[in-house]
Amino acid sequence: MFCFTTFKRYPQGVLHKLISYVKAVLPIKVSVSVLKKYKDVEGAVKIEEVNGEELVKKFAEEMEEMLGRKMKSVKSLAEAAEDADLYHEYNETLEFDYYNSMLINTVDEDGNPVPLGGEFQLEENEHFSKLAVNTQQSNIQVPTNVYNRDPDIVNGVYMSEALNDIFIDNFQKDPTLTWQYFGSSTGFFRLYPGIQWIPDENGVVTFDCRNRNWYIQAATSPKDVIIVVDVSGSMKGLRLTIAKHTINTILDTLGENDFVNIIAYSDYVRYVEPCFKGTLVQADLDNREHFKLLVEELHVKGEGKVKNAMMESFKILNEGSLCNQAIMLITDGAMEDFQDVFEKFNWPERRVRVFTYLIGREMTFAENVKWIACNNKGYYTHISTLADVQENVMEYLHVLSRPMVINHDHDIIWTEAYMDSVLFNTQAQSLLLMTSVAMPVFSKKKETLSHGILLGVVGTDVALKELMRLAPRYKLGVHGYAYLITNNGYILSHPDLRPLYKEGKKLKPKPNYNSVDLSEVEWEDTEEKLRTAMVKGETGTLFLDVRTSVDKGTRVMFLRNDYFYTVINETPFSLGIVLSRGYGQYIFIGNVSVEEGLHDLLAPDLTIASEWTYCETDIDPAHRKLNQLQAVVRYLTGKEPDLECDVQLLQQTLFDAVVTAPMEAYWTALMLNTSGMDDGVETAFLGTRSGLMRFQSLFLSLPRSFLTSTDKENMFTLDHFPVWYRRAAEYPAGQFLYYMPRQETRGRGHTFTWQTHTHTHTHSNTHSPSQNTICAFFISNFPNHIYNWFLCLCLFLSYQDIDCYVIDNNGFVLISKQRNDVSSYPITRKHTENTAGVLFSLGFDSSAHKKKGDILQPCDTEYPSFVYEPSVKETNSIIKCGRCQKMFVVQQIPDSNLLMLVVQADCDCSRHPLLFWLFLLYCTVHNASVKCDRMRSQKIRRRPESCHSFHPQENADDCGGASFISLSTSLFFTCLTFAALVS
């Protein structure tokens, strides 16, 4: 497919002159030139039908191979860490200087390196987002609340020095690896390559590797958790504050494979979210944040009676999964006779672990609280200050990991998508979506086997952008795309996923950017057949009629899409690809000699898609500074024969370069002989399916910078073909498409209009479209005298007061006598109300909306769009507005997507209800019952198969505090009597 584009100014004239410019000479000459060249090489052309089922399987196999290399690297790290620990003897007085990433390259007042600092070589590296790194050495990050000279830290750092060689070896074997790391259960974080860690504005490092999803998921199996919090009168003040912080910290340790609920108790039992009564809900980001808001509203009152709350918790868990189940009891004391609850619901199997958190400095009821944990295979901790919360909450993860550690089950886990900027607080942050693969590290020492000691977690990151390069855009067609989802139905990668929003001049992640469900972007899948099949890990195909938005959601296209999907083995991910019927069904393959193609590829007006992978430049560090065109040329000339290149894509690119080569000479001639060029043409450019673009400025200055790296909508990117290319592909062959590009920098009173001309060629051996659509674009700049001409034309058409417009097929104003009406937004509501049959509204696009000063909240947002019905050549009618009425006339401008609209302006309809309101924007409001139904509804999901909740060798005596407490009956009642006396 080829697309030609020019920018152009409309000259002075009248309406017939405007229409005549639709049949401008330039694009026709362009078409003839290219078609003539195409005829010369037509014998070397063939058209193949794309087999979607084979293609998705091929992509999935390549992704599986790539991800498999990452898993292999992580396994080697885990083995090395376990061996290093096995042969390391703990030394309480060990002294060892290491590179602390916060302190490296810093000196004291005397110019001497600070302790744990020293000189640490850093060099900017293209592969690591141009961040300054040390690829020969890892270094250590320690959270501010962890003492960096603690014996546990020093011994762990010393032991893990053995990972340095493994980091380097992994990177040499697989240069596409990014960050590799070891997160220790003691709190330190070893990162390769080493970097300078930047604290926040307060000089604090809050990052704790043990809070990260990759650590938590690798350390435990999926879990069902009931948090039970005491809100009796004794929990007032600081105790309640600590309790709330404890709940929030527990919630932060949960993920999408976990389920949760929160119960508060005093004299009676209540759910903090009544809608979730009697059930468990997925611990996804939305539910966790919702719980946190409700927890903040808790207040204390009455007497604490834990027995009923525990009974309610067991009833819920008895209907849950058969994997890890836990009750988290947060209280300042337990005074009742609660033993019979455990006898009835949990003994003797003790399937549900109970973790207890004693809040406050008072230790009167410590023995009771310990007894509950120790007799239910849990763990007891005492939290007297806010600073104690983090470390004490993390203990429960170590207990849950014991069966897995004892059995040495090294499950590999993959995380949901996340922003790497969360990890690195640096100016070089790339804001790329990532996924992590991680694996637990266990102690193999026989003397500690029954205790199941988790040493930490090793992992590496995978940029999803690099993974999606394995599904090249040119193989999927103009509207086709690939996407990835998790076992929970959440999107890992999708061209319609918009994870960022703008706050001022900064881009920030949306609160729920990594928990967007597939049904929210593939919303035509109303019965969720596609989502259900993919979540279950099935392989298959599905057909859907879809409406897709382009031009940042302002325009719509109707497509018929075939969906092909399959699972990526050894991962929780599923891959889907979309092929649109028509241009997505076939691929156009041409063949020319390397010599001829290389000659034309070196033309100064030519470039190729910078985000596409023509040649892999990230394997050899020597190639990382090459752009794609440089890499292609060096490969084809034999200067870099070891480059890995996509032969089929190079073949298409060379063919396109040869076929479009006449454009350079033609455009040069136009520049030298302006008399042969239509008045006002400024710039021309051409695009092909192979990502090739030719660009020629026909004047020294342009009204704005064009096709810049920031103007992604007009570029070939990893996610999509340019807007002008996609729209041209769906427009009738041989006609012209005008539209207003979205431009932030356009001056008032000026309009730039792109004009598209398409030509579809049918190959002699097939009746299918050949993907060789020729498109021509113009940009038009309307200065003052053109507006004056248009105003005169409107007045000439009627003696009455009228409004005149030239609009495109989506209702955007290209020309108006009111300059403020001309913009890259559709015509205002008062001008289009009742033009039924010509334009119709269509709601599409789900997004998040934020008013100034509001908290960013996800909501259902509707952007109705107008689409012109081309069968209507001319129409007129009456608009009734209360006590007055006015006439409008709409006429189609031949061979284009433009319409002339004339409306009487003497009747104001702006205050009356309207049939069409172009930018209706609202958040859906539900009544309480509907909202509750939506919150309780849980989509189909696939929980990880592995589960490690029990091992007969587990030492449950290690339950916190001093040691196992066997609470005798006499001691138990003594505690109760004492409790009654002090109360």
Side-chain angles (χ1 to χ4, degrees):
M1 174 179 290
F2 304 99
C3 295
F4 296 99
T5 306
T6 59
F7 304 166
K8 181 176 178 179
R9 289 193 185 94
Y10 280 106
Q12 189 174 5
V14 290
L15 182 59
H16 73 274
K17 185 65 174 176
L18 173 65
I19 296 175
S20 71
Y21 267 86
V22 178
K23 302 177 179 179
V25 176
L26 179 61
I28 296 175
K29 289 181 179 178
V30 169
S31 302
V32 171
S33 300
V34 174
L35 287 177
K36 183 177 183 299
K37 184 65 177 180
Y38 171 78
K39 289 293 183 181
D40 296 338
V41 294
E42 187 176 13
V45 173
K46 61 178 179 179
I47 297 172
E48 294 181 355
E49 187 169 359
V50 178
N51 187 319
E53 294 180 10
E54 290 184 2
L55 200 59
V56 73
K57 289 178 182 178
K58 179 177 179 294
F59 290 163
E61 289 171 359
E62 292 176 352
M63 290 181 179
E64 179 187 347
E65 181 182 352
M66 175 189 175
L67 298 178
R69 293 196 300 269
K70 315 306 176 190
M71 290 188 281
K72 186 177 180 180
S73 296
V74 168
K75 287 179 181 177
S76 65
L77 289 173
E79 292 171 0
E82 290 180 353
D83 288 342
D85 175 74
L86 181 62
Y87 298 108
H88 172 71
E89 291 187 12
Y90 187 89
N91 183 353
E92 183 75 28
T93 61
L94 176 66
E95 292 186 5
F96 177 68
D97 288 332
Y98 59 89
Y99 286 111
N100 187 306
S101 58
M102 275 278 291
L103 303 173
I104 56 173
N105 300 329
T106 58
V107 295
D108 58 21
E109 294 177 354
D110 299 324
N112 299 316
V114 298
L116 301 182
E119 185 178 353
F120 192 80
Q121 295 294 326
L122 295 173
E123 184 177 345
E124 187 177 289
N125 192 297
E126 295 279 338
H127 182 66
F128 293 94
S129 303
K130 297 184 178 181
L131 194 67
V133 301
N134 185 330
T135 56
Q136 299 303 312
Q137 183 79 35
S138 63
N139 60 5
I140 304 296
Q141 177 267 340
V142 183
T144 300
N145 63 332
V146 176
Y147 178 44
N148 56 28
R149 289 286 193 178
D150 184 277
D152 289 345
I153 297 293
V154 175
N155 276 268
V157 171
Y158 178 80
M159 175 274 293
S160 64
E161 279 284 300
L163 295 180
N164 265 320
D165 292 339
I166 310 302
F167 286 141
I168 296 171
D169 184 61
N170 283 345
F171 191 42
Q172 289 175 344
K173 291 177 180 178
D174 181 8
T176 65
L177 278 172
T178 55
W179 308 101
Q180 302 176 69
Y181 40 82
F182 169 61
S184 169
S185 61
T186 59
F188 75 83
F189 182 59
R190 182 177 287 277
L191 178 65
Y192 172 87
I195 64 167
Q196 175 98 43
W197 202 281
I198 309 297
D200 62 21
E201 60 273 9
N202 299 315
V204 175
V205 175
T206 57
F207 176 88
D208 189 327
C209 62
R210 297 168 296 178
N211 291 339
R212 312 311 300 174
N213 274 350
W214 53 266
Y215 185 100
I216 294 167
Q217 290 182 36
T220 62
S221 300
K223 48 196 174 291
D224 295 340
V225 175
I226 303 289
I227 301 173
V228 179
V229 58
D230 184 351
V231 290
S232 62
S234 61
M235 286 285 290
K236 63 183 178 180
L238 179 60
R239 291 183 182 183
L240 183 61
T241 302
I242 295 173
K244 290 179 178 179
H245 186 41
T246 302
I247 295 173
N248 290 342
T249 305
I250 294 172
L251 288 173
D252 286 337
T253 66
L254 305 179
E256 294 157 2
N257 293 319
D258 304 319
F259 281 78
V260 67
N261 206 334
I262 303 178
I263 292 175
Y265 74 91
S266 55
D267 300 299
Y268 62 97
V269 174
R270 66 183 177 92
Y271 290 82
V272 296
E273 173 49 80
C275 180
F276 295 157
K277 182 178 181 180
T279 189
L280 289 161
V281 294
Q282 188 178 7
D284 57 24
L285 179 64
D286 289 342
N287 284 336
R288 296 198 307 268
E289 293 303 313
H290 182 63
F291 275 129
K292 288 180 182 180
L293 292 174
L294 296 173
V295 165
E296 285 303 311
E297 299 173 2
L298 289 176
H299 58 276
V300 298
K301 185 180 181 181
E303 183 182 353
K305 295 182 178 180
V306 70
K307 186 175 180 178
N308 291 337
M310 298 300 286
M311 289 176 61
E312 185 71 16
S313 301
F314 279 115
K315 289 177 182 178
I316 298 174
L317 292 174
N318 283 340
E319 298 181 2
S321 70
L322 298 179
C323 199
N324 282 308
Q325 293 190 318
I327 296 173
M328 309 297 198
L329 175 61
I330 302 169
T331 181
D332 64 346
M335 299 180 292
E336 300 172 83
D337 180 4
F338 38 71
Q339 183 169 340
D340 61 324
V341 177
F342 304 115
E343 289 177 346
K344 180 178 180 180
F345 291 99
N346 205 36
W347 293 355
E349 294 86 359
R350 292 172 170 80
R351 183 171 58 87
V352 178
R353 298 178 187 265
V354 183
F355 297 88
T356 57
Y357 302 89
L358 181 66
I359 304 298
R361 298 187 181 279
E362 179 61 54
M363 296 290 290
T364 303
F365 305 107
E367 296 302 315
N368 293 17
V369 179
K370 287 180 188 177
W371 184 90
I372 293 174
C374 294
N375 281 276
N376 291 280
K377 294 174 66 176
Y379 200 86
Y380 156 81
T381 57
H382 178 215
I383 305 178
S384 58
T385 67
L386 286 170
D388 297 335
V389 172
Q390 183 68 45
E391 290 294 325
N392 286 311
V393 166
M394 297 306 295
E395 289 294 341
Y396 95 86
L397 294 175
H398 298 152
V399 175
L400 290 184
S401 69
R402 284 177 187 166
M404 178 175 64
V405 177
I406 297 171
N407 208 40
H408 272 70
D409 291 316
H410 289 86
D411 292 338
I412 290 182
I413 65 95
W414 290 90
T415 68
E416 73 281 3
Y418 66 94
M419 295 285 185
D420 68 350
S421 59
V422 176
L423 185 60
F424 304 110
N425 180 21
T426 169
Q427 296 300 315
Q429 63 188 12
S430 57
L431 286 176
L432 292 177
L433 282 175
M434 315 282 286
T435 182
S436 293
V437 55
M439 193 175 189
V441 178
F442 310 137
S443 171
K444 297 197 295 187
K445 295 177 179 178
K446 293 182 179 179
E447 61 269 26
T448 60
L449 180 63
S450 64
H451 293 271
I453 297 176
L454 175 72
L455 298 175
V457 173
V458 290
T460 186
D461 294 339
V462 179
L464 291 169
K465 184 176 181 179
E466 299 306 314
L467 189 61
M468 298 311 292
R469 289 185 189 277
L470 298 176
R473 293 290 299 114
Y474 78 95
K475 291 187 177 182
L476 302 175
V478 183
H479 309 298
Y481 55 90
Y483 61 94
L484 286 168
I485 68 167
T486 69
N487 55 299
N488 290 301
Y490 294 141
I491 291 171
L492 277 171
S493 179
H494 194 290
D496 288 336
L497 177 65
R498 293 178 291 277
L500 304 176
Y501 74 98
K502 207 167 187 178
E503 189 173 89
K505 294 183 178 180
K506 291 184 178 180
L507 286 174
K508 292 187 176 182
K510 295 176 182 176
N512 64 334
Y513 75 91
N514 60 356
S515 59
V516 178
D517 197 86
L518 179 65
S519 60
E520 295 181 56
V521 289
E522 297 293 346
W523 53 275
E524 286 89 355
D525 182 32
T526 53
E527 299 179 7
E528 297 191 355
K529 292 181 180 179
L530 175 66
R531 183 195 182 278
T532 300
M534 294 188 70
V535 166
K536 289 182 176 180
E538 297 175 357
T539 297
T541 182
L542 184 71
F543 162 73
L544 291 172
D545 283 309
V546 302
R547 291 159 291 180
T548 184
S549 63
V550 294
D551 204 9
K552 299 182 180 179
T554 61
R555 301 176 188 272
V556 70
M557 289 190 300
F558 298 87
L559 302 173
R560 313 199 79 187
N561 286 348
D562 288 302
Y563 292 77
F564 304 90
Y565 51 87
T566 190
V567 68
I568 301 178
N569 295 324
E570 306 300 323
T571 76
F573 307 145
S574 288
L575 169 69
I577 66 170
V578 177
L579 300 177
S580 292
R581 295 191 179 181
Y583 288 117
Q585 290 178 279
Y586 305 91
I587 190 166
F588 182 92
I589 300 174
N591 190 21
V592 295
S593 69
V594 172
E595 292 76 14
E596 185 181 11
L598 187 59
H599 173 270
D600 293 329
L601 197 65
L602 293 172
D605 67 329
L606 185 147
T607 187
I608 56 179
S610 61
E611 291 189 7
W612 291 15
T613 304
Y614 298 82
C615 293
E616 181 57 68
T617 58
D618 204 31
I619 296 177
D620 188 337
H623 298 151
R624 286 179 183 148
K625 293 187 178 181
L626 296 175
N627 63 38
Q628 283 297 307
L629 184 56
Q630 290 171 337
V632 168
V633 172
R634 293 183 71 83
Y635 173 76
L636 293 176
T637 56
K639 294 180 180 179
E640 298 287 351
D642 295 332
L643 275 167
E644 294 183 11
C645 299
D646 187 326
V647 176
Q648 185 180 22
L649 179 55
L650 289 187
Q651 182 182 355
Q652 290 193 31
T653 305
L654 292 177
F655 178 83
D656 291 347
V658 170
V659 172
T660 62
M663 291 303 94
E664 183 192 4
Y666 177 71
W667 288 336
T668 301
L670 286 178
M671 293 179 65
L672 298 176
N673 183 17
T674 55
S675 63
M677 180 171 56
D678 280 336
D679 182 34
V681 174
E682 294 180 343
T683 304
F685 61 95
L686 168 153
T688 76
R689 177 169 174 163
S690 64
L692 177 148
M693 289 191 68
R694 290 184 180 273
F695 180 87
Q696 183 66 58
S697 173
L698 304 179
F699 283 94
L700 295 178
S701 62
L702 287 176
R704 64 183 290 265
S705 59
F706 187 71
L707 296 177
T708 63
S709 58
T710 58
D711 197 6
K712 295 270 185 178
E713 286 290 302
N714 296 321
M715 304 287 288
F716 289 89
T717 68
L718 199 64
D719 285 338
H720 60 245
F721 278 67
V723 172
W724 47 268
Y725 199 108
R726 296 188 66 188
R727 295 196 68 209
E730 292 304 308
Y731 205 67
Q735 294 195 17
F736 291 82
L737 176 71
Y738 294 80
Y739 78 101
M740 181 80 62
R742 294 172 58 88
Q743 299 174 33
E744 303 293 338
T745 58
R746 188 186 63 254
R748 289 192 65 181
H750 295 79
T751 301
F752 305 112
T753 307
W754 291 352
Q755 179 185 354
T756 308
H757 176 67
T758 63
H759 173 80
T760 302
H761 177 73
T762 303
H763 195 264
S764 57
N765 296 327
T766 178
H767 294 293
S768 65
S770 71
Q771 312 297 294
N772 217 30
T773 300
I774 298 173
C775 324
F777 288 75
F778 293 82
I779 272 195
S780 305
N781 182 1
F782 296 107
N784 292 336
H785 68 279
I786 299 299
Y787 280 102
N788 293 336
W789 156 78
F790 186 75
L791 176 61
C792 291
L793 175 62
C794 289
L795 293 176
F796 174 77
L797 294 174
S798 174
Y799 292 106
Q800 299 180 18
D801 187 16
I802 64 168
D803 287 330
C804 297
Y805 309 93
V806 172
I807 62 175
D808 69 10
N809 59 317
N810 293 125
F812 287 74
V813 179
L814 273 68
I815 311 176
S816 170
K817 71 174 185 177
Q818 299 293 334
R819 296 192 182 192
N820 291 337
D821 289 334
V822 180
S823 70
S824 54
Y825 296 95
I827 190 170
T828 56
R829 57 179 177 176
K830 67 179 181 180
H831 306 302
T832 57
E833 82 181 52
N834 278 352
T835 52
V838 180
L839 300 172
F840 67 92
S841 64
L842 170 72
F844 69 94
D845 195 23
S846 179
S847 183
H849 178 59
K850 181 177 183 290
K851 294 181 179 179
K852 189 174 182 180
D854 292 346
I855 297 175
L856 194 70
Q857 295 284 351
C859 69
D860 297 326
T861 307
E862 185 178 66
Y863 299 90
S865 174
F866 287 90
V867 180
Y868 172 66
E869 173 50 57
S871 63
V872 179
K873 304 300 181 183
E874 183 178 349
T875 188
N876 62 81
S877 186
I878 300 294
I879 300 173
K880 293 183 179 180
C881 301
R883 297 181 179 180
C884 68
Q885 64 181 22
K886 61 182 179 181
M887 177 180 289
F888 73 87
V889 178
V890 178
Q891 182 178 10
Q892 186 182 91
I893 299 177
D895 299 325
S896 77
N897 67 319
L898 300 182
L899 303 114
M900 186 72 175
L901 173 63
V902 179
V903 184
Q904 282 181 283
D906 56 351
C907 182
D908 184 8
C909 296
S910 60
R911 297 182 181 180
H912 295 273
L914 303 169
L915 178 61
F916 303 117
W917 179 208
L918 284 168
F919 279 103
L920 179 64
L921 182 65
Y922 64 92
C923 289
T924 305
V925 179
H926 303 281
N927 61 41
S929 62
V930 174
K931 179 182 178 182
C932 185
D933 290 341
R934 289 191 64 181
M935 291 173 65
R936 287 177 63 94
S937 65
Q938 301 194 36
K939 296 179 181 292
I940 293 176
R941 53 187 297 280
R942 174 167 47 100
R943 215 165 184 178
E945 296 177 1
S946 62
C947 177
H948 312 284
S949 59
F950 171 78
H951 198 285
Q953 297 180 22
E954 177 184 347
N955 179 12
D957 290 353
D958 183 9
C959 58
S963 61
F964 179 82
I965 301 168
S966 180
L967 190 61
S968 65
T969 304
S970 59
L971 177 60
F972 180 75
F973 283 107
T974 299
C975 292
L976 290 179
T977 303
F978 179 77
L981 291 174
V982 298
S983 62

